Amino acid sequence: MKVRSVKLREAHGAIGGRASFCSVLWDQQANHLVTASSSDIAICIHDPLSPSLSPKILRHHRDGVTALALSPNSTCLASGSIDRSVKLYKFPGGEFERNITRFTLPIRSLAFNKSGSMVAAAGDDEGIKLINTFDGTITRVLKGHKGSVTGLAFDPNGEYLASMDSTGTVILWELQSGKIIHNLKGITPDTGLDISAVNVLCWSPDGETLAVPGLKNDVVMYDRDTAEKLFSLRGDHLQPICFLCWSPNGKYIATSGLDRQVLIWDVDRKQDIDRQKFEERVCCMAWKPTGNALAVVDVMGKYGIWDNVIPSSMKSPSEDIPVKYKSNGVLLFDEEDPENSASGSFSDIGENSNEELEPPSRKRLRKQSLSEENLIEEIELHPKVDSLKKRNRSSKENLDSGNMGFRGTMVTSKAKMQEAFQPGSIPVQPGKRRFLCYNMLGCITSVEHDGYSHIEIDFHDTGSTPRVPSMTDHFGFTMAALSEHGSVFANPCKGEKNMSTLMYRPFSSWANNSEWSMRFEGEEVKVVALGAAWVAAVTSFNYLRIFSESGLQKHVFSLDGPVLTASGFIEKLAVVTHASDCLSSNDQMLEFIVFNIPQGTRLLQGRLPISPGSSLNWFGFSEEGQLCSYDSKGVLRSYTSQFGGRWVPLFSASKEKSNENYWVTGLNASKLFCVVCKKPDHFPQVMPKPVLTPLSLSFPLASSDLGSETHENEFMMNNLHLFEIQRRMEEMASVGLDTTSLDDDAFNLEAAQDKCILRLIASCCNSDKLVRATELVKLLTLEKSMRGAIKLVTALKLPNLAERFSSILEERLLDEAKKAMETNIKENCVAPIKADAHSGIKAPTRSETLNAVTTMSSPKLSSPSFIRKEKTQEGGKAGINRTAMVNESMKGKQTGNETSDKMGKVGDIRQVEQTHPSYDPSTKSSDKNGLNKSDTSLGQSNRPSNPFLKSTIK
């Protein structure tokens, strides 16, 4: 057999000439090659087409890199190190994302599951951590090894995790339960303390066979379900095998031994077909996903590519790859394959296919009970095929014929429903403090100590809130909710009875034993919420359970889908559920529903929008009671009843600093309150206590041709708040409640809005947007503001626009006067009209209509108006003289007869002005109005509903 030479080039220098364990891997499209060494802190990303170019270097570890893993869609790179940390990077860019876990001893092995949603990490600690790559939470810790764990491999079918340690033990774990299915002791060589030679294991691409190094310098194949030895590959290795890997199509396998040889095997023929001798031991290899090549790296940090590994007369290693393991970089499965199932992570149990939920014994039984017809067909078609291939093909045919029942549908990368979460809590961090709840009122902190948790409750305002003593947590609570009156806690199912506990703890009570708890057997509490005199819990059965503050079970009913989160505010309870599975675009389909708990009614229901491809990070109410959400793309939305009920984006983190993440705790009408976390961290540290940072709310507006985005944002924000205030006033008025406080807020907002509109008008004039300025002036509420707009455009030397503004003011006054007269005519309240009723009512002239407004009661406006509470002024503040105000707008247009008519009504006008505010128009008051400044009244009463009379309120 001809021996060919593979040229190696140095990627990582060996310290002192000592052997180190080095890693190498390809990305899915074979565009990049990644290498690392346990004697080098650097990770190198090479361009295999241009090996002379300098590689991209990632230096984030403080010690040598001992393990690498790349997600199936090649978008996420994980690295483990002697510094005991596991880090994630974006790939191929190499941007550091975050630390996802730390161990107490060096890490030796990493592996992604088939969806990339979970990474398994292990090392000298002997335990295996399963970590959610989305938020860094530790899903489970698997313990069973007695030595350093040197090899990890997820079953491609998503059912099992295989692990191997330095003592030669192989363990198969069932992903659904986390239990050990098979424990095979002493079946591989004992590597002892040599860190450059690690035991590894590898699943075949079809997931049916597990290959491990044998004790006789061979490779031993084991069945995936029964763990029975199927066959072995034994050839010319003179020392134990230290690394092995399957070709992409599963037809070949490459093995590297301590004898510095690399052998290529034809698995079907069970014989080696090529070999290569190296100067140093090859410690890691990776088949090229496309083409016919094998990347190798030796213990001295030199790497190279062995081209044309398989002779041209044989099938290429990348030809006829099993369909369900093809990947285009986004999809992990072929769209036509009916076998695909969901991720094998523990957090995905609710999404796994039916097969994954079955115990292994049942699957083995089903596997053996193939139909006779299928067996006969197999024998006739392939009479000489060995039993392993026959079993695989029979299983495939059973799938096609439907004998195995329905399976999970096609799943895309990260296309899974988000797990339930508690707003304001952070993931479990063993041995560290964590927030069970953090809101605008205070926080609940938990820390493990001597097997138990110690819980503390702290309020932000220590002066007006009670001091709550700490407590010892014997239940292992993982979530909590906090209100002014008490706190509620819950934990996941645990113990032999699979019990979940809900506990409520009031802060004050007349009774000694006011604390209460509820237990649910086999039913797990997912989310809790608190309100005024009620407690809510949503469980894994999709039950919403309502309790009174004293512990009385009041309501239990089913929700429409799996819960995601929930939040309470006084009488309201808002719950978010999954409306359906994720879309093919990876978008979550969420639905929200809001209840009034005391009344037992549903207030709102609809779809909850989030950014495409994102997940929900926070959900709750603002201090004013507005429902809000915040997603992982950094977009805050608030629910408004405008347009029949819509979600309005009020904040986008993309417009803030790019190196910061925001952990939301609450908000009010103008500010979002959050804890700023430096990337890649998504959650704050508990100690020292984090500081809340207020961020201004703003609409994601387009770049304006006015260059006044700040004023435009203020304009839209004021409109939104005015609308919500008006709606609340209407609701309160309908049930007979006093709206005085809201009326003050509305008036202040109206005044602020007018100032904002005037600034926008100035910007429009400066930008020559006169049509837009005309539209804006029609939105002014106060007459004083409209006159200010006229003065503004006059000063800007726009006489045509000033004339148009004056015309709009005149039309507004005329329109309001007519409406006032119509109202009084209908109510038959005007004495002069009654007196002339016998002679008929003639239509009022334009002048009479304008003058009549001075004697009418406050007319009803077409624009929103608010009733202001009565205020009095004692002093020299003069109000508006209504006769002067109206006559001034009509100055120069009235006849002498009209003036004499007004003179005759002075007494009546003064009588009206005693119940209306008045204003001294100074020198602008004409003598022909028949009034003198000394005759005006200084009193003020109820705020008029006419917007032009609001200017009288200072």
Side-chain angles (χ1 to χ4, degrees):
M1 186 178 292
K2 183 179 179 180
V3 177
R4 292 163 292 172
S5 175
V6 178
K7 183 180 180 181
L8 301 182
R9 62 179 64 243
E10 184 174 320
H12 307 274
I15 300 177
R18 295 194 302 269
S20 303
F21 179 77
C22 301
S23 306
V24 64
L25 51 83
W26 291 92
D27 70 341
Q28 189 63 37
Q29 291 76 35
N31 294 327
H32 303 88
L33 197 64
V34 188
T35 61
S37 170
S38 61
S39 62
D40 189 359
I41 65 172
I43 300 171
C44 298
I45 303 177
H46 308 268
D47 184 349
L49 299 179
S50 303
S52 59
L53 296 178
S54 299
K56 182 180 293 184
I57 307 297
L58 310 180
R59 289 190 177 92
H60 294 278
H61 285 289
R62 293 176 296 176
D63 212 330
V65 180
T66 53
L68 292 177
L70 194 59
S71 63
N73 63 356
S74 298
T75 60
C76 183
L77 176 68
S79 65
S81 168
I82 298 175
D83 66 10
R84 307 182 298 278
S85 68
V86 177
K87 302 179 185 295
L88 291 184
Y89 312 83
K90 291 182 180 179
F91 193 85
E95 295 89 352
F96 176 73
E97 284 196 329
R98 62 180 176 275
N99 293 312
I100 58 173
T101 191
R102 288 188 65 85
F103 284 69
T104 57
L105 293 174
I107 294 161
R108 301 297 175 191
S109 184
L110 296 172
F112 276 97
N113 68 346
K114 64 179 183 180
S115 69
S117 62
M118 176 181 291
V119 63
D124 296 346
D125 280 2
E126 302 178 358
I128 303 170
K129 290 184 181 180
L130 301 181
I131 307 159
N132 190 322
T133 57
F134 173 72
D135 56 11
T137 56
I138 298 175
T139 307
R140 196 176 299 234
V141 178
L142 307 177
K143 293 186 178 181
H145 285 285
K146 302 301 181 183
S148 298
V149 180
T150 59
L152 293 171
F154 280 99
D155 160 29
N157 293 333
E159 296 180 53
Y160 306 134
L161 172 70
S163 59
M164 174 185 288
D165 63 32
S166 58
T167 66
T169 298
V170 175
I171 297 179
L172 265 65
W173 311 82
E174 187 182 31
L175 286 176
Q176 177 192 340
S177 62
K179 295 180 180 179
I180 296 177
I181 302 302
H182 300 288
N183 191 342
L184 309 177
K185 298 182 178 180
I187 65 171
T188 65
D190 188 338
T191 59
L193 301 177
D194 185 2
I195 63 172
S196 66
V198 298
N199 277 335
V200 295
L201 71 175
C202 190
W203 290 98
S204 61
D206 62 6
E208 294 295 332
T209 309
L210 180 66
V212 300
L215 298 174
K216 300 178 180 180
N217 307 335
D218 58 352
V219 179
V220 183
M221 306 293 181
Y222 291 90
D223 180 76
R224 61 173 275 109
D225 290 321
T226 64
E228 297 173 353
K229 180 178 177 179
L230 299 175
F231 61 93
S232 63
L233 304 176
R234 188 171 183 181
D236 292 336
H237 276 300
L238 304 178
Q239 296 184 46
I241 293 173
C242 61
F243 197 87
L244 54 86
C245 58
W246 291 84
S247 65
N249 62 3
K251 186 172 179 58
Y252 310 104
I253 193 169
T255 60
S256 172
L258 300 180
D259 56 5
R260 303 182 182 178
Q261 286 191 100
V262 172
L263 270 60
I264 308 299
W265 302 79
D266 185 323
V267 178
D268 291 341
R269 294 162 56 185
K270 301 182 180 63
Q271 67 179 26
D272 58 299
I273 58 176
D274 204 350
R275 74 189 65 175
Q276 179 73 253
K277 184 75 174 180
F278 291 86
E279 294 181 1
E280 299 290 344
R281 184 172 73 249
V282 172
C283 54
C284 189
M285 301 176 290
W287 288 88
K288 189 175 182 180
T290 58
N292 182 10
L294 180 73
V296 299
V297 64
D298 65 22
V299 293
M300 305 308 291
K302 296 181 179 180
Y303 82 101
I305 299 176
W306 181 357
D307 290 313
N308 301 317
V309 182
I310 305 301
S312 58
S313 60
M314 302 180 69
K315 183 176 291 187
S316 170
S318 58
E319 184 180 350
D320 295 336
I321 298 175
V323 174
K324 64 181 175 181
Y325 304 106
K326 284 184 179 179
S327 175
N328 60 5
V330 178
L331 297 179
L332 294 178
F333 310 104
D334 186 86
E335 293 183 357
E336 298 178 356
D337 181 24
E339 294 189 79
N340 303 329
S341 57
S343 163
S345 72
F346 296 147
S347 60
D348 302 343
I349 291 176
E351 303 160 23
N352 291 343
S353 66
N354 283 355
E355 185 200 28
E356 291 177 354
L357 292 176
E358 296 179 7
S361 58
R362 180 177 174 184
K363 283 182 286 186
R364 290 196 291 272
L365 180 61
R366 181 188 60 205
K367 194 173 191 179
Q368 295 167 3
S369 62
L370 301 176
S371 66
E372 247 185 275
E373 295 177 1
N374 284 343
L375 286 175
I376 292 174
E377 185 178 351
E378 284 294 323
I379 294 172
E380 290 176 352
L381 292 175
H382 304 281
K384 296 183 180 180
V385 175
D386 61 86
S387 59
L388 172 64
K389 290 180 68 64
K390 187 183 302 178
R391 179 165 63 252
N392 294 344
R393 185 174 296 276
S394 299
S395 298
K396 172 69 176 178
E397 290 189 6
N398 262 354
L399 286 173
D400 296 336
S401 64
N403 291 340
M404 296 180 69
F406 56 92
R407 299 288 300 269
T409 56
M410 187 270 295
V411 179
T412 59
S413 175
K414 297 184 180 178
K416 65 172 189 175
M417 292 194 297
Q418 183 183 351
E419 288 295 309
F421 71 94
Q422 184 70 31
S425 67
I426 63 176
V428 177
Q429 298 175 312
K432 294 185 178 181
R433 290 178 178 268
R434 63 181 293 256
F435 289 123
L436 300 181
C437 174
Y438 197 114
N439 58 24
M440 298 298 290
L441 185 65
C443 62
I444 301 178
T445 309
S446 173
V447 60
E448 292 184 7
H449 182 69
D450 293 337
Y452 296 102
S453 294
H454 187 70
I455 292 180
E456 297 176 350
I457 301 177
D458 297 305
F459 292 96
H460 302 315
D461 184 4
T462 56
S464 60
T465 51
R467 181 176 178 83
V468 181
S470 59
M471 72 176 195
T472 301
D473 172 20
H474 298 279
F475 298 97
F477 294 127
T478 59
M479 68 194 80
L482 177 67
S483 72
E484 295 179 353
H485 307 291
S487 55
V488 61
F489 304 87
N491 66 347
C493 290
K494 59 190 304 184
E496 296 180 357
K497 295 185 178 180
N498 202 26
M499 197 81 71
S500 183
T501 304
L502 176 75
M503 187 181 81
Y504 176 71
R505 188 185 186 194
F507 295 146
S508 61
S509 175
W510 58 269
N512 293 329
N513 189 17
S514 55
E515 181 180 298
W516 55 265
S517 63
M518 301 286 172
R519 294 194 175 187
F520 311 98
E521 187 171 348
E523 180 182 0
E524 185 172 308
V525 177
K526 293 291 187 180
V527 185
V528 293
L530 273 179
W534 55 265
V535 178
V538 190
T539 71
S540 56
F541 288 177
N542 298 342
Y543 289 164
L544 174 58
R545 297 179 176 272
I546 307 296
F547 305 85
S548 70
E549 201 172 22
S550 64
L552 178 65
Q553 302 189 56
K554 301 189 70 175
H555 307 284
V556 180
F557 52 86
S558 294
L559 298 172
D560 294 337
V563 66
L564 178 57
T565 190
S567 181
F569 179 80
I570 309 178
E571 298 179 344
K572 299 177 183 178
L573 169 65
V575 182
V576 178
T577 59
H578 289 281
S580 66
D581 291 332
C582 298
L583 299 180
S584 58
S585 59
N586 295 349
D587 292 338
Q588 303 279 336
M589 299 299 292
L590 305 180
E591 188 178 55
F592 76 98
I593 185 168
V594 182
F595 302 99
N596 185 305
I597 298 301
Q599 297 179 8
T601 58
R602 184 189 68 187
L603 302 178
L604 299 169
Q605 185 172 13
R607 287 295 174 90
L608 177 64
I610 58 176
S611 302
S614 69
S615 56
L616 190 63
N617 278 10
W618 181 86
F619 182 77
F621 292 89
S622 69
E623 291 185 346
E624 294 78 20
Q626 289 296 112
L627 195 59
C628 303
S629 69
Y630 184 80
D631 63 35
S632 59
K633 294 292 180 68
V635 178
L636 175 76
R637 293 175 176 85
S638 177
Y639 184 84
T640 174
S641 52
Q642 286 181 312
F643 298 100
R646 287 293 179 266
W647 289 85
V648 180
L650 294 181
F651 176 84
S652 177
S654 62
K655 295 187 176 182
E656 303 295 326
K657 296 181 180 179
S658 59
N659 63 336
E660 294 178 344
N661 288 322
Y662 302 107
W663 190 65
V664 175
T665 60
L667 70 156
N668 59 22
S670 60
K671 298 290 183 181
L672 172 68
F673 294 92
C674 60
V675 178
V676 178
C677 304
K678 294 294 183 182
K679 288 184 177 179
D681 295 333
H682 291 272
F683 304 98
Q685 297 294 325
V686 178
M687 297 297 291
K689 189 175 180 179
V691 178
L692 290 183
T693 301
L695 300 174
S696 297
L697 301 180
S698 62
F699 289 92
L701 301 180
S703 297
S704 173
D705 52 4
L706 295 180
S708 300
E709 284 85 356
T710 303
H711 299 322
E712 288 179 303
N713 181 77
E714 182 185 355
F715 169 75
M716 292 182 62
M717 198 69 71
N718 288 339
N719 274 343
L720 178 65
H721 293 158
L722 277 171
F723 181 87
E724 292 302 328
I725 289 178
Q726 181 186 18
R727 181 186 59 82
R728 290 203 298 269
M729 290 178 65
E730 291 174 353
E731 291 177 354
M732 294 173 65
S734 64
V735 295
L737 298 178
D738 183 21
T739 62
T740 303
S741 59
L742 288 179
D743 178 63
D744 287 339
D745 295 338
F747 182 79
N748 293 334
L749 264 177
E750 286 175 339
Q753 181 72 319
D754 275 11
K755 292 180 181 179
C756 178
I757 292 174
L758 288 174
R759 295 189 187 101
L760 285 174
I761 291 174
S763 298
C764 289
C765 294
N766 293 329
S767 302
D768 200 26
K769 305 295 181 183
L770 304 186
V771 175
R772 197 178 307 176
T774 304
E775 180 184 359
L776 284 167
V777 80
K778 295 178 181 179
L779 301 177
L780 291 169
T781 308
L782 307 177
E783 186 210 7
K784 181 179 180 181
S785 301
M786 293 194 72
R787 295 194 182 280
I790 296 172
K791 291 181 180 179
L792 173 64
V793 297
T794 301
L796 293 174
K797 297 182 180 180
L798 296 170
N800 292 336
L801 192 60
E803 183 178 351
R804 184 173 293 274
F805 283 8
S806 298
S807 177
I808 292 172
L809 173 60
E810 180 181 331
E811 291 176 2
R812 178 80 70 88
L813 289 170
L814 180 63
D815 184 60
E816 297 301 333
K818 285 183 178 179
K819 288 182 179 180
M821 286 194 65
E822 290 173 0
T823 302
N824 283 276
I825 289 172
K826 290 179 181 179
E827 296 177 356
N828 200 22
C829 296
V830 182
I833 296 179
K834 288 183 181 180
D836 297 337
H838 65 278
S839 60
I841 302 175
K842 66 177 181 178
T845 66
R846 178 184 180 92
S847 175
E848 289 171 344
T849 301
L850 288 172
N851 281 301
V853 73
T854 61
T855 59
M856 300 298 173
S857 60
S858 299
K860 182 179 180 182
L861 296 180
S862 58
S863 59
S865 60
F866 306 91
I867 302 172
R868 186 170 177 81
K869 64 182 180 180
E870 180 177 349
K871 292 186 176 181
T872 58
Q873 284 186 334
E874 298 175 1
K877 286 192 177 182
I880 292 179
N881 185 315
R882 297 193 180 202
T883 303
M885 176 188 71
V886 177
N887 287 338
E888 183 184 354
S889 68
M890 298 300 298
K891 194 171 183 179
K893 297 183 181 181
Q894 297 174 345
T895 64
N897 292 334
E898 293 169 341
T899 304
S900 61
D901 290 340
K902 290 191 290 288
M903 292 287 290
K905 297 180 181 179
V906 169
D908 294 334
I909 293 172
R910 289 178 177 173
Q911 182 178 357
V912 171
E913 286 181 339
Q914 299 202 354
T915 59
H916 288 278
S918 59
Y919 174 29
D920 179 6
S922 186
T923 58
K924 293 185 180 181
S925 298
S926 176
D927 290 340
K928 64 181 179 179
N929 295 332
L931 294 175
N932 190 291
K933 286 191 295 181
S934 60
D935 297 329
T936 59
S937 171
L938 299 179
Q940 277 190 331
S941 184
N942 288 342
R943 191 189 80 164
S945 57
N946 189 321
F948 299 139
L949 301 183
K950 294 175 185 175
S951 58
T952 62
I953 309 296
K954 300 294 182 179

